[in-house]
Each structure stands twice: as C-alpha cells, then as structure tokens.
Amino acid sequence: MAGPIHPRLFQRGGATRKYLVASVLLGVVTAFLLIIQALLISRAVTSVFAHYGSEGARPAGWAWVIGGLVAVFTARGLLSWLDSWLAQRSAAAVKSQLRRDVLAARAARPTSDEVSSSTLLHVTTTGLDALDGYYSKYLPQLGLAVTVPLIIGAALLITDWPSALIVAFTIPLIPIFMALIGWTTQKATARSFAVADRLTNHFADLIEGLPTLQAFARARAQRKGVELTETKYRSATMRVLYVSFLSSFALELLASLSVAIVAVTIGFRLVYGNVSFEAALFVLVLAPEAFLPVRQVGTHFHDSVDGVAAADSAFEIIDAAAAAPAGTQPVGDLADQPIILEGVEFGYCEAGPLVLPGVSLRLEPGEVVALAGASGGGKSTLLGVLMGFLAPTDGRVLLGGLDLAEADVAQWRSRVAWVAQDPGMVHGTVGDNVLLGDPSAGPQAVAEALRAAGAEFGADKPVGDDGEGLSGGERRRVAVARALLRIAAGGTRLLVLDEPTAGLDADTEATVIDAVRASGVGALVVSHRPAMLAAADRVVRLEPAGAGAGVDGSGIGGSGVGGAGILGSGGDQ
C-alpha cells in the first residue's frame, strides 16, 4: 500500500460504496452533535458559575440544557451502533467477493504449485478476516479525518479565530508523523505475515508426513524446526506490537501537546479579558475533538495492515490466474473429431529440462489409448496439458481443427470426464459424490454407474472429509462411477483416467476396463497394470527426458519429434 488508500481494495469497495458514504455521513452528523454538546456543556457550566452564591436560584433553562445533553448522548450512541452495523456489512461483502475470486483463481489453475494449500487456507480464512479493520474502521475514518476537522475548525473559527489558527497549524503534524510510522509498521506486518505463512506450511507438511517420520523414528527431531519457526514468528509479531504501541504513544503525545498549546494561549487571553469564559470553555471542550479523527486514523491503520498483507497475497493468486492465456473460441460437439497433440513440449522452468520433449499423439473418437512408462516420464503432465491446466511451451493441442490455446477452456473441460489418481471426495455419502458427475441424475442412474464401476457397496455408504471411510480402491471406483454418470448425461467426448485400477483385484479391474470400453467415448488412460495396457487399442510409452529417441503415438507420420521414449501401436504392448 504505497499511499493511505490501497487502490485495489478501494476499487473492491465499489460494491459497498453506499455503506462507506453512509458511514462518513454519520460521522459528519456526529461532528455537528459534538458542536452542540460542547455548546450545551459550556453554557451549563457558565450558568452555574453565574448563579453561584444565589440561594435557591437555579440557572435559567437548566432543564432544557440537561435534556439537550441527554438527547445528544442518546443520538451519538445510536449513530455509533448504526455506523458499526454499516461497517460490518461493507467488510463482509468485500471479503466474500475476494474469497470467491481467490477460489475461482485456484480452480482455474488446480495443478499450479505456486501457492500451497496451507497458504491458500491461511489467506482465505484468518488472513482476509483481518480486512474488517480496513473496511469497517480505517476507510470510514479516513473520510472522517477530512470532514470532521473542517466542521469543528469552522465552529472554532467563528467562536475564537486565534484558537482555530493554532489547530489549523498543528493538525497537519499528525499525518506527517503517522506516515513515517506507518511505513515502518507496514514493513513489519508484511514480514510477520510471511513468517506466519511459512509456519503454516511447515506445520501442514509436518502433519502430512507424520506417519513416515514416525515410521523412521524422526518425528521428535522435527520439534526443533517448529520451535525455530515459532520463535521467528513470535519475534516478528512482537516487533509489530512494539511499533504499534510506539506510534500510538507518539500520536497521543503530539495531539496532547497541540491541545495544550490551545489551552495555554486561551487561558492567558481569558485572564486578560480578551475572550469570554463561555467561549473559552467551548473551545477547550471542542478542540480535542478536532484532533481525534486524525489520531484515530493511525490507530485504525494498525488494525488494517494485517488484512492488507493478506489481500496482497490474495491479489497475487488472482493475478496469476488472470495472466494465464485464455481463449474464447467455442468448442464444437467433437462427436466425430479426433484429438491431436502435435510436438507438445513442456518444462516447469525456462532453464530446466523439458518434461515433455516433443510428444505427438492422435486419439480417435471411441479409441482407448494407454500411456505407460516409468515414473517421471511426464504422463500426468501430459494429462494436465491436454485438459488445459498447463500451457505447452511448444507444439499444440488440436480439438478437431481448433487449437486448445484459442478455445474456451471451460467449455472444453465440460466435454471431459476426469478420474484422478487420488480422487477428490466431499463429505456426505457415496451417492453425493457420484452425483457430482450429473446432479440431475436419479438414484437408479447412480446405482447403475456404481455397478458398472465394480463397486460392491451402496450409494448410501457414508463418506467423511477427504474420503475418510473409503479405501484407495473404493475411492477410485466412486470416481469411475462419477465419470460414467457424467458420460451418460451426454456431451462428454473424452474420458481421462490416471491409474484407475491401482489397488483393485483382478475381477474388479476387469469390470472397470469393461466399463471404460463400453463408455463409447475416446479414453486416455495412464496405467502400469498389464491388464489395462493389454485392453487398450494402443499403448504410448513415455520415458524421462533424454532416455529415448522420440515419442510419436499419433499415426500422423514421422518417427519422433522429441527425445523421450518409444511408441507402441497395439494392445499387445
């Protein structure tokens, strides 16, 4: 945040601008109430001193003064509640939109490893929750810092111009010191957020790998690493608190000295009769209120910096997805069109080796092609390129005659049924997970899909978070059933499977193979299982970069265009 306002967060506040404007208007009304309050207090005190010594006499209109003060206090309380309600509505709307955009950006690039799941969780939960301070306190307070001092300054100018002149010269000092302290606070907070993110990822990795560490008796050895990261986070957090307390002290001291200057000067002028007692008291009651909105900006800035740091991380995720090339050409039906990979190359970094050093492949409608080869040969990467999650560094993917780089990738994915090696599951039942393939399907269709996938369990079997309650093989059968249900709904032209029969017995594997062949759509299967490879129409073998002379499983000519592996051309390979 280079200035007092984060430009992108302010733009995001466009949808809630009416709340922000209403909040500032409430602050302006509160400023007029403060003027009325100061006027009533000064008149009440001067009337008491004027009638001091008169037995039985009460100040004239004292009931109206007391009633007016009660009314002002009540109105200020109601306005404060309304302002808090408007601020919370504003913050909730923006946070909800930001979370949706972050999740949409992540869903658009699910294979990206630039942002870990732990970072994503940290940003979208506690990170963006801290935006409450920015939208509900900091932004409205900025508006008040501009309007309220002007209104109160005008009242002081009418009442006593020398005091108004002192206030006008001392108020600008607060933003200057506030900016100097704010830059330091922003750097310290960004450092604290980065350390917290590192601690989150470290702890998540540790929990995920705990069974392995426990098996090799290395779990206790990780305690030192967690303690070191925790110590760094504690130090970074304490530095933020140190700067925050120091800045609050500095701003309070500056505001107090400014009010003291007004009090001293008006006191001398009162002694020499240059100002009335009522006017002097009115200025003394009202002057601190001119500094309060500006001083509160600094306080609320510290409340907002955590949220701003999280928002910057959220915008990085959103921008990365927006920067990815996206085509707009509509994808046709593809019912009788082949899917062709022409010299597809891909590398995860510019200077590193190619994972896919020139792969050519032709997949006809209804054909089953198996991808085989050693681990690290690029099989999963090839699937990511085919589904549009990864953009090839060279070559192209043709959907009939349309280049995937120019196609509407969301429309293309609607033509694909995908079975991952580790399928995702939602909390509920097996039926709930199968219905993700076609939410409009009925119970009979779900049962048929499960039966075709070789599942011996029913649709009512409960499923916990992350597939808890299902074995690895059962999860794959649920995923296959989900894909078959999607194909049955119509419109799907390609079935992509990554190790669909791993962990299955021979009979169940044969059932899954039969279901794949009976689906009627083109299928690209990654597998190491001999039965799966034998059932395929063709087998394309990929090897790690530099291990072979080329990959060409296309049937479109040539003996290879890369440097990775050999091809097969029959189900016996």
Side-chain angles (χ1 to χ4, degrees):
M1 189 166 64
I5 297 178
H6 194 295
R8 298 190 64 177
L9 282 177
F10 186 72
Q11 292 171 3
R12 290 272 171 171
T16 60
R17 190 170 289 120
K18 60 181 180 180
Y19 296 120
L20 296 176
V21 172
S23 181
V24 174
L25 290 177
L26 289 178
V28 172
V29 174
T30 302
F32 283 106
L33 290 176
L34 287 172
I35 294 173
I36 296 173
Q37 174 183 307
L39 182 63
L40 291 173
I41 290 175
S42 60
R43 286 185 178 178
V45 173
T46 53
S47 63
V48 168
F49 277 99
H51 290 78
Y52 180 73
S54 302
E55 292 188 14
R58 293 179 178 177
W62 66 272
W64 288 101
V65 172
I66 298 298
L69 285 174
V70 172
V72 168
F73 292 149
T74 303
R76 287 185 61 190
L78 291 174
L79 290 177
S80 176
W81 170 82
L82 185 58
D83 181 64
S84 176
W85 180 80
L86 288 172
Q88 292 299 328
R89 292 289 298 270
S90 173
V94 176
K95 289 190 300 181
S96 178
Q97 183 62 48
L98 260 179
R99 286 185 172 118
R100 284 196 296 267
D101 290 348
V102 169
L103 293 178
R106 179 60 175 174
R109 305 172 71 234
T111 59
S112 173
D113 57 356
E114 296 175 4
V115 180
S116 68
S117 298
S118 300
T119 298
L120 189 68
L121 185 64
H122 181 210
V123 169
T124 54
T125 53
T126 56
L128 292 182
D129 277 341
L131 277 177
D132 284 336
Y134 185 85
Y135 282 103
S136 64
K137 297 179 181 178
Y138 179 69
L139 275 185
Q141 194 64 42
L142 275 180
L144 296 179
V146 175
T147 57
V148 173
L150 290 177
I151 295 172
I152 293 180
L156 293 176
L157 184 63
I158 295 172
T159 305
D160 185 57
W161 69 266
S163 299
L165 195 62
I166 294 173
V167 171
F169 274 102
T170 53
I171 276 186
L173 296 176
I174 296 179
I176 294 174
F177 279 90
M178 197 161 49
L180 295 174
I181 298 171
W183 290 328
T184 304
T185 303
Q186 188 174 355
K187 293 178 181 178
T189 303
R191 190 180 304 112
S192 175
F193 184 84
V195 175
D197 186 58
R198 194 179 309 125
L199 178 60
T200 301
N201 282 278
H202 186 181
F203 192 72
D205 290 342
L206 182 60
I207 294 299
E208 186 176 356
L210 193 58
T212 304
L213 293 171
Q214 191 70 27
F216 290 94
R218 297 296 300 168
R220 291 186 178 274
Q222 300 301 314
R223 177 179 177 180
K224 185 63 176 178
V226 175
E227 289 177 346
L228 288 174
T229 309
E230 183 184 2
T231 300
K232 291 180 181 179
Y233 178 58
R234 186 186 301 111
S235 300
T237 303
M238 291 305 297
R239 177 166 178 78
V240 172
L241 294 175
Y242 170 77
V243 174
S244 299
F245 284 126
L246 182 63
S247 64
S248 298
F249 171 76
L251 295 178
E252 289 289 344
L253 179 62
L254 185 59
S256 299
L257 291 176
S258 300
V259 174
I261 294 174
V262 174
V264 169
T265 55
I266 205 169
F268 277 110
R269 292 171 53 235
L270 179 63
V271 169
Y272 289 103
N274 295 329
V275 63
S276 66
F277 179 50
E278 183 177 341
L281 190 58
F282 176 77
V283 170
L284 286 178
V285 172
L286 198 58
E289 302 296 340
F291 294 93
L292 181 62
V294 183
R295 195 169 73 241
Q296 287 296 318
V297 169
T299 301
H300 294 323
F301 176 79
H302 295 300
D303 293 335
S304 70
V305 286
D306 286 335
V308 171
D312 286 334
S313 297
F315 286 132
E316 289 179 5
I317 299 172
I318 295 170
D319 292 342
T328 58
Q329 295 296 321
V331 179
D333 182 73
L334 300 177
D336 56 353
Q337 298 291 321
I339 297 169
I340 304 171
L341 281 71
E342 290 185 351
V344 172
E345 295 183 355
F346 182 82
Y348 285 99
C349 56
E350 295 181 1
L354 292 175
V355 179
L356 296 176
V359 177
S360 293
L361 175 66
R362 184 185 184 98
L363 180 63
E364 298 289 347
E367 185 182 22
V368 177
V369 175
L371 291 179
S375 298
K379 299 183 295 298
S380 296
T381 300
L382 182 63
L383 299 185
V385 171
L386 179 61
M387 290 187 290
F389 294 126
L390 302 173
T393 54
D394 196 10
R396 59 180 183 167
V397 178
L398 295 177
L399 310 176
L402 178 63
D403 192 335
L404 179 57
E406 302 173 358
D408 184 340
V409 69
Q411 193 177 25
W412 159 236
R413 290 172 190 158
S414 70
R415 303 277 193 272
V416 178
W418 160 240
V419 177
Q421 186 173 1
D422 186 17
M425 296 287 147
V426 297
H427 184 89
T429 64
V430 167
D432 295 333
N433 283 274
V434 175
L435 280 172
L436 293 175
D438 179 17
S440 63
Q444 184 64 30
V446 172
E448 290 178 359
L450 285 169
R451 185 164 50 253
E456 70 281 358
F457 45 86
D460 57 347
K461 182 174 182 177
V463 179
D465 292 329
D466 197 25
E468 184 180 356
L470 298 178
S471 66
E474 288 175 334
R475 292 178 62 169
R476 292 186 181 91
R477 277 174 279 177
V478 172
V480 170
R482 183 164 55 198
L484 295 176
L485 190 66
R486 182 179 179 88
I487 294 171
T492 301
R493 295 294 175 256
L494 177 64
L495 176 59
V496 180
L497 308 100
D498 193 354
E499 298 288 359
T501 60
L504 303 183
D505 58 62
D507 292 338
T508 307
E509 182 179 28
T511 303
V512 172
I513 293 173
D514 291 341
V516 170
R517 295 203 65 88
S519 66
V521 300
L524 188 62
V525 188
V526 171
S527 182
H528 295 90
R529 303 278 291 230
M532 188 75 245
L533 299 180
D537 297 321
R538 286 187 294 123
V539 177
V540 176
R541 298 189 182 275
L542 301 182
E543 300 297 340
V551 176
D552 185 359
S554 62
I556 57 177
S559 59
V561 287
I566 58 176
L567 73 123
S569 58
D572 58 342
Q573 298 184 34

